[in-house]
Amino acid sequence: MKKYLVIGNPIEHSLSPLVHNYWMKKYSLSDSIYEKRKIEKKDLKNIIEEIKNDQINGMNVTVPFKKLIIPFLDDLTHLANLAQSVNTIYKKDNKIIGDNTDIEGFEQALKFIKFEAKNKVAFILGAGGVALSIILALKRLGIKKIFLSNRTNKEPEILKKNYSELEIIEWGKNPKFDLIINATSLGLNKNDVIKLDYESFGSDKVFYDVVYNPTKTNFLKSGDKMGNIIENGKMMFIYQAQLAFQIWTNIKPEIDDELIKILSND
Ligand code: ATR
Protein backbone atom coordinates (compact mmCIF):
# COMPACT_ATOMS: atom_id res chain seq x y z
CA MET A 1 0.00 0.00 0.00
CA LYS A 2 1.28 3.48 -0.85
CA LYS A 3 0.29 6.11 1.66
CA TYR A 4 0.08 9.85 1.06
CA LEU A 5 -0.80 12.49 3.60
CA VAL A 6 -1.50 16.15 4.18
CA ILE A 7 -0.37 17.58 7.51
CA GLY A 8 -1.54 20.82 9.10
CA ASN A 9 -3.30 22.41 12.05
CA PRO A 10 -6.20 22.93 11.61
CA ILE A 11 -6.70 20.24 8.97
CA GLU A 12 -10.46 19.56 8.96
CA HIS A 13 -10.93 22.09 6.12
CA SER A 14 -8.44 20.38 3.79
CA LEU A 15 -9.94 18.93 0.63
CA SER A 16 -6.62 17.40 -0.49
CA PRO A 17 -7.74 13.84 0.35
CA LEU A 18 -10.86 14.31 -1.80
CA VAL A 19 -8.83 15.47 -4.80
CA HIS A 20 -5.98 12.98 -4.58
CA ASN A 21 -8.20 9.99 -3.83
CA TYR A 22 -10.38 11.00 -6.78
CA TRP A 23 -7.36 10.94 -9.10
CA MET A 24 -5.97 7.75 -7.55
CA LYS A 25 -9.25 6.05 -8.38
CA LYS A 26 -9.46 7.62 -11.83
CA TYR A 27 -5.97 6.41 -12.73
CA SER A 28 -6.49 2.97 -11.11
CA LEU A 29 -3.83 3.44 -8.42
CA SER A 30 -5.76 1.01 -6.23
CA ASP A 31 -2.79 0.43 -3.93
CA SER A 32 -2.62 4.13 -3.01
CA ILE A 33 -4.45 6.10 -0.35
CA TYR A 34 -4.34 9.76 0.71
CA GLU A 35 -5.21 10.85 4.27
CA LYS A 36 -5.12 13.98 6.41
CA ARG A 37 -3.43 14.26 9.79
CA LYS A 38 -3.63 17.04 12.35
CA ILE A 39 -0.22 17.40 13.98
CA GLU A 40 1.64 19.61 16.45
CA LYS A 41 5.02 21.23 15.85
CA LYS A 42 6.72 18.58 18.00
CA ASP A 43 5.53 15.84 15.58
CA LEU A 44 7.38 17.21 12.53
CA LYS A 45 10.59 15.24 13.09
CA ASN A 46 8.80 11.92 13.51
CA ILE A 47 6.63 12.39 10.48
CA ILE A 48 9.68 12.93 8.28
CA GLU A 49 11.07 9.69 9.78
CA GLU A 50 7.94 7.98 8.47
CA ILE A 51 8.84 9.11 4.93
CA LYS A 52 12.43 7.96 5.43
CA ASN A 53 11.13 4.52 6.48
CA ASP A 54 8.72 4.35 3.51
CA GLN A 55 5.68 4.29 5.79
CA ILE A 56 4.60 7.44 3.94
CA ASN A 57 5.30 7.84 0.20
CA GLY A 58 4.48 11.50 -0.29
CA MET A 59 3.23 14.39 1.78
CA ASN A 60 1.57 17.77 1.43
CA VAL A 61 2.09 20.46 4.04
CA THR A 62 -0.36 23.21 4.92
CA VAL A 63 -0.73 25.95 7.57
CA PRO A 64 1.20 26.54 9.74
CA PHE A 65 4.03 24.17 8.82
CA LYS A 66 5.18 25.20 5.34
CA LYS A 67 8.21 26.99 6.74
CA LEU A 68 8.60 25.10 9.99
CA ILE A 69 9.12 21.78 8.16
CA ILE A 70 12.24 23.00 6.34
CA PRO A 71 14.89 22.19 9.01
CA PHE A 72 13.80 18.53 8.97
CA LEU A 73 14.34 18.05 5.22
CA ASP A 74 17.53 16.96 3.41
CA ASP A 75 17.13 19.20 0.40
CA LEU A 76 14.89 21.80 -1.22
CA THR A 77 14.04 22.29 -4.88
CA HIS A 78 14.98 25.62 -6.45
CA LEU A 79 11.48 27.08 -6.01
CA ALA A 80 11.02 25.81 -2.45
CA ASN A 81 14.35 27.33 -1.56
CA LEU A 82 13.45 30.67 -3.14
CA ALA A 83 10.10 30.73 -1.36
CA GLN A 84 11.43 29.20 1.86
CA SER A 85 8.10 27.38 1.83
CA VAL A 86 7.36 23.70 1.25
CA ASN A 87 3.98 22.22 0.38
CA THR A 88 5.05 18.95 -1.27
CA ILE A 89 7.51 16.35 0.03
CA TYR A 90 8.95 13.21 -1.52
CA LYS A 91 11.91 10.88 -1.19
CA LYS A 92 14.51 10.70 -3.94
CA ASP A 93 17.82 8.82 -3.80
CA ASN A 94 17.24 8.29 -0.08
CA LYS A 95 16.93 12.03 0.51
CA ILE A 96 13.81 13.80 1.72
CA ILE A 97 13.11 16.66 -0.69
CA GLY A 98 10.87 19.68 -0.09
CA ASP A 99 9.18 21.16 -3.15
CA ASN A 100 6.81 24.07 -3.72
CA THR A 101 3.88 23.77 -6.12
CA ASP A 102 2.02 26.80 -4.70
CA ILE A 103 3.96 29.23 -6.88
CA GLU A 104 2.92 27.57 -10.13
CA GLY A 105 -0.52 26.89 -8.66
CA PHE A 106 -1.07 30.60 -8.09
CA GLU A 107 0.30 31.55 -11.53
CA GLN A 108 -2.06 29.12 -13.21
CA ALA A 109 -4.98 30.32 -11.09
CA LEU A 110 -4.42 33.93 -12.23
CA LYS A 111 -4.25 32.73 -15.83
CA PHE A 112 -7.51 30.84 -15.24
CA ILE A 113 -9.31 34.10 -14.36
CA LYS A 114 -7.42 35.86 -17.18
CA PHE A 115 -5.79 38.35 -14.83
CA GLU A 116 -2.88 39.99 -16.61
CA ALA A 117 -0.36 40.88 -13.88
CA LYS A 118 1.96 42.92 -16.06
CA ASN A 119 2.10 46.56 -14.95
CA LYS A 120 -0.50 45.99 -12.22
CA VAL A 121 -0.29 46.73 -8.50
CA ALA A 122 -0.90 43.96 -5.96
CA PHE A 123 -1.66 44.16 -2.25
CA ILE A 124 -0.86 41.01 -0.26
CA LEU A 125 -2.27 40.40 3.22
CA GLY A 126 -0.05 38.01 5.20
CA ALA A 127 3.65 37.23 5.30
CA GLY A 128 3.78 33.46 5.80
CA GLY A 129 4.84 30.72 3.41
CA VAL A 130 1.96 31.22 1.01
CA ALA A 131 2.51 34.98 0.86
CA LEU A 132 6.10 34.48 -0.22
CA SER A 133 5.06 31.97 -2.90
CA ILE A 134 2.60 34.56 -4.19
CA ILE A 135 5.26 37.29 -4.26
CA LEU A 136 7.46 35.02 -6.37
CA ALA A 137 4.61 34.11 -8.72
CA LEU A 138 3.63 37.77 -9.19
CA LYS A 139 7.22 38.73 -9.89
CA ARG A 140 7.50 35.96 -12.48
CA LEU A 141 4.35 37.34 -14.11
CA GLY A 142 5.78 40.85 -14.33
CA ILE A 143 3.81 42.69 -11.63
CA LYS A 144 4.72 46.37 -11.36
CA LYS A 145 4.44 46.85 -7.59
CA ILE A 146 3.63 44.81 -4.48
CA PHE A 147 2.34 46.22 -1.20
CA LEU A 148 2.30 43.84 1.76
CA SER A 149 0.66 44.01 5.14
CA ASN A 150 0.86 41.60 8.07
CA ARG A 151 -0.58 41.54 11.60
CA THR A 152 2.91 41.39 13.12
CA ASN A 153 6.13 43.08 11.96
CA LYS A 154 8.84 40.44 12.18
CA GLU A 155 8.11 38.48 8.99
CA PRO A 156 7.59 41.53 6.72
CA GLU A 157 10.92 42.92 7.90
CA ILE A 158 12.65 39.67 6.93
CA LEU A 159 10.88 39.68 3.55
CA LYS A 160 11.85 43.28 2.91
CA LYS A 161 15.52 42.37 3.35
CA ASN A 162 15.28 39.95 0.41
CA TYR A 163 12.77 41.85 -1.68
CA SER A 164 13.60 45.52 -1.43
CA GLU A 165 10.88 46.36 -3.96
CA LEU A 166 8.17 45.37 -1.46
CA GLU A 167 6.38 48.20 0.27
CA ILE A 168 5.21 47.29 3.76
CA ILE A 169 1.90 48.78 4.89
CA GLU A 170 0.64 48.92 8.46
CA TRP A 171 -2.00 46.23 9.22
CA GLY A 172 -5.46 47.74 8.72
CA LYS A 173 -4.27 50.44 6.32
CA ASN A 174 -4.78 50.19 2.57
CA PRO A 175 -2.93 51.44 -0.52
CA LYS A 176 -4.27 51.72 -4.10
CA PHE A 177 -4.13 48.40 -5.92
CA ASP A 178 -5.55 46.34 -8.79
CA LEU A 179 -5.42 42.96 -7.04
CA ILE A 180 -5.77 42.21 -3.32
CA ILE A 181 -4.85 38.77 -2.01
CA ASN A 182 -5.67 37.31 1.35
CA ALA A 183 -2.68 35.06 2.07
CA THR A 184 -3.38 34.78 5.80
CA SER A 185 -5.23 31.91 7.41
CA LEU A 186 -8.02 34.33 8.39
CA GLY A 187 -11.14 33.02 6.71
CA LEU A 188 -10.68 29.33 7.50
CA ASN A 189 -13.18 29.93 10.28
CA LYS A 190 -16.48 31.18 8.93
CA ASN A 191 -16.60 34.08 11.39
CA ASP A 192 -13.09 35.39 10.66
CA VAL A 193 -13.11 39.00 9.55
CA ILE A 194 -10.26 41.05 8.07
CA LYS A 195 -10.83 44.61 9.15
CA LEU A 196 -10.16 46.91 6.20
CA ASP A 197 -11.81 49.99 4.79
CA TYR A 198 -13.49 48.05 1.95
CA GLU A 199 -15.63 51.00 0.91
CA SER A 200 -12.55 53.00 -0.07
CA PHE A 201 -11.28 50.36 -2.53
CA GLY A 202 -13.62 51.10 -5.42
CA SER A 203 -15.45 48.48 -7.43
CA ASP A 204 -13.16 47.38 -10.24
CA LYS A 205 -10.58 45.38 -8.31
CA VAL A 206 -9.85 41.67 -8.08
CA PHE A 207 -10.25 40.10 -4.64
CA TYR A 208 -8.38 36.80 -4.34
CA ASP A 209 -8.54 34.59 -1.27
CA VAL A 210 -6.16 31.64 -0.91
CA VAL A 211 -8.82 30.09 1.36
CA TYR A 212 -11.10 27.78 -0.65
CA ASN A 213 -13.14 26.21 2.12
CA PRO A 214 -15.42 27.99 2.98
CA THR A 215 -15.94 29.01 -0.65
CA LYS A 216 -16.90 32.59 0.18
CA THR A 217 -15.02 34.10 3.11
CA ASN A 218 -16.10 37.36 4.70
CA PHE A 219 -13.17 38.97 2.85
CA LEU A 220 -14.65 37.87 -0.49
CA LYS A 221 -18.16 38.81 0.62
CA SER A 222 -16.96 42.36 1.34
CA GLY A 223 -15.26 42.54 -2.07
CA ASP A 224 -18.37 41.21 -3.76
CA LYS A 225 -20.64 43.65 -1.97
CA MET A 226 -18.64 46.55 -3.36
CA GLY A 227 -18.91 45.15 -6.90
CA ASN A 228 -15.41 43.72 -7.30
CA ILE A 229 -14.37 40.50 -9.05
CA ILE A 230 -13.89 37.77 -6.45
CA GLU A 231 -12.09 34.44 -6.65
CA ASN A 232 -11.38 31.89 -3.94
CA GLY A 233 -8.33 29.63 -3.73
CA LYS A 234 -10.01 26.62 -5.33
CA MET A 235 -8.17 26.69 -8.66
CA MET A 236 -4.83 27.48 -6.99
CA PHE A 237 -5.50 24.54 -4.73
CA ILE A 238 -6.36 22.22 -7.64
CA TYR A 239 -3.34 23.29 -9.70
CA GLN A 240 -0.92 22.83 -6.80
CA ALA A 241 -2.45 19.40 -6.17
CA GLN A 242 -2.14 18.48 -9.85
CA LEU A 243 1.57 19.26 -9.79
CA ALA A 244 2.10 17.37 -6.53
CA PHE A 245 0.30 14.32 -7.92
CA GLN A 246 2.50 14.48 -11.00
CA ILE A 247 5.65 14.70 -8.89
CA TRP A 248 4.68 11.57 -6.92
CA THR A 249 3.20 9.40 -9.69
CA ASN A 250 4.52 10.77 -13.00
CA ILE A 251 0.90 11.10 -14.11
CA LYS A 252 -0.45 14.57 -14.92
CA PRO A 253 -4.03 14.16 -13.72
CA GLU A 254 -6.88 15.79 -15.57
CA ILE A 255 -8.88 18.57 -13.92
CA ASP A 256 -12.27 17.38 -15.11
CA ASP A 257 -15.78 18.69 -14.52
CA GLU A 258 -16.58 16.01 -11.98
CA LEU A 259 -13.64 17.06 -9.82
CA ILE A 260 -14.65 20.72 -9.95
CA LYS A 261 -18.19 19.66 -9.01
CA ILE A 262 -17.03 17.55 -6.05
CA LEU A 263 -15.03 20.50 -4.74
CA SER A 264 -17.90 22.92 -5.09
CA ASN A 265 -20.08 21.07 -2.58
CA ASP A 266 -19.49 22.74 0.73
P1 ATR B 1 1.44 29.59 5.60
O1 ATR B 1 2.73 28.87 5.60
O2 ATR B 1 0.31 28.74 5.06
O3 ATR B 1 1.49 30.93 4.94
P2 ATR B 1 1.88 30.74 8.15
O4 ATR B 1 3.32 30.84 7.77
O5 ATR B 1 1.52 30.26 9.51
O6 ATR B 1 1.09 29.83 7.14
O7 ATR B 1 1.24 32.17 7.91
C1 ATR B 1 -0.04 32.48 8.32
C2 ATR B 1 -0.31 33.94 8.01
O8 ATR B 1 -1.61 34.25 8.52
C3 ATR B 1 0.65 34.91 8.68
O9 ATR B 1 0.81 36.04 7.84
C4 ATR B 1 -0.10 35.28 9.96
O10 ATR B 1 0.25 36.53 10.52
P3 ATR B 1 1.40 36.64 11.65
O11 ATR B 1 2.73 36.56 10.93
O12 ATR B 1 1.19 37.97 12.28
O13 ATR B 1 1.18 35.49 12.60
C5 ATR B 1 -1.51 35.35 9.43
N1 ATR B 1 -2.50 35.20 10.49
C6 ATR B 1 -2.82 34.08 11.18
N2 ATR B 1 -3.80 34.34 12.08
C7 ATR B 1 -4.08 35.66 11.96
C8 ATR B 1 -4.98 36.56 12.61
N3 ATR B 1 -5.81 36.14 13.58
N4 ATR B 1 -5.01 37.86 12.21
C9 ATR B 1 -4.20 38.30 11.23
N5 ATR B 1 -3.31 37.51 10.58
C10 ATR B 1 -3.26 36.21 10.93
Side-chain angles (χ1 to χ4, degrees):
M1 199 74 189
K2 285 190 174 162
K3 188 164 155 182
Y4 299 85
L5 203 63
V6 56
I7 56 163
N9 193 345
I11 198 64
E12 300 75 29
H13 68 283
S14 174
L15 299 179
S16 289
L18 206 65
V19 171
H20 286 283
N21 285 318
Y22 173 79
W23 283 329
M24 281 162 182
K25 195 167 165 221
K26 176 166 173 157
Y27 294 98
S28 304
L29 306 178
S30 51
D31 65 335
S32 299
I33 187 161
Y34 189 110
E35 295 170 346
K36 55 183 160 191
R37 197 187 289 178
K38 182 175 168 179
I39 65 156
E40 306 294 332
K41 195 177 164 190
K42 63 173 174 41
D43 303 322
L44 287 172
K45 187 169 183 286
N46 282 343
I47 211 147
I48 296 301
E49 282 302 314
E50 286 185 59
I51 306 179
K52 281 193 180 141
N53 303 334
D54 298 318
Q55 290 164 288
I56 298 172
N57 298 78
M59 199 163 83
N60 281 135
V61 183
T62 188
V63 269
F65 301 120
K66 289 183 180 187
K67 243 184 247 228
L68 295 171
I69 194 83
I70 291 176
F72 303 98
L73 305 171
D74 296 322
D75 222 338
L76 298 179
T77 60
H78 176 64
L79 283 182
N81 189 35
L82 272 182
Q84 283 298 300
S85 171
V86 164
N87 77 326
T88 303
I89 297 177
Y90 55 92
K91 185 163 119 175
K92 191 181 172 196
D93 301 333
N94 251 349
K95 279 186 169 173
I96 308 299
I97 315 287
D99 203 343
N100 179 311
T101 68
D102 284 330
I103 298 170
E104 279 190 69
F106 184 69
E107 284 182 27
Q108 292 192 44
L110 284 191
K111 284 184 191 146
F112 181 79
I113 57 166
K114 299 194 169 56
F115 180 83
E116 178 60 64
K118 240 190 176 84
N119 294 322
K120 298 274 172 48
V121 177
F123 181 26
I124 301 176
L125 304 170
V130 180
L132 188 41
S133 297
I134 287 173
I135 294 171
L136 290 166
L138 288 172
K139 281 184 62 172
R140 277 161 48 128
L141 294 170
I143 199 93
K144 186 167 82 180
K145 165 114 193 149
I146 302 176
F147 293 102
L148 184 139
S149 184
N150 196 52
R151 171 182 57 171
T152 54
N153 287 331
K154 192 171 144 243
E155 290 299 326
E157 275 161 21
I158 297 169
L159 284 179
K160 178 82 186 161
K161 274 190 194 136
N162 292 319
Y163 299 94
S164 54
E165 67 271 36
L166 277 184
E167 190 168 326
I168 310 298
I169 302 278
E170 203 183 311
W171 184 248
K173 296 271 161 60
N174 44 272
K176 286 214 177 321
F177 58 82
D178 302 295
L179 166 71
I180 183 168
I181 302 144
N182 175 31
T184 72
S185 44
L186 271 180
L188 286 176
N189 293 315
K190 267 203 161 95
N191 299 328
D192 286 346
V193 173
I194 303 178
K195 283 197 196 108
L196 291 170
D197 184 10
Y198 293 95
E199 298 199 354
S200 69
F201 291 165
S203 59
D204 53 351
K205 313 290 183 257
V206 175
F207 274 60
Y208 193 96
D209 203 324
V210 297
V211 173
Y212 60 88
N213 183 17
T215 52
K216 201 168 175 185
T217 58
N218 285 324
F219 170 74
L220 291 185
K221 280 181 190 162
S222 303
D224 195 17
K225 205 169 131 198
M226 299 306 298
N228 296 285
I229 296 166
I230 60 165
E231 180 76 7
N232 70 24
K234 184 168 77 178
M235 291 314 293
M236 177 184 181
F237 164 68
I238 296 178
Y239 286 126
Q240 66 74 30
Q242 183 185 41
L243 260 175
F245 192 90
Q246 195 176 1
I247 287 167
W248 295 325
T249 65
N250 272 326
I251 299 168
K252 185 176 181 182
E254 198 191 350
I255 298 169
D256 57 27
D257 292 347
E258 196 180 335
L259 179 64
I260 306 270
K261 209 171 108 198
I262 293 172
L263 288 175
S264 303
N265 296 339
D266 76 334

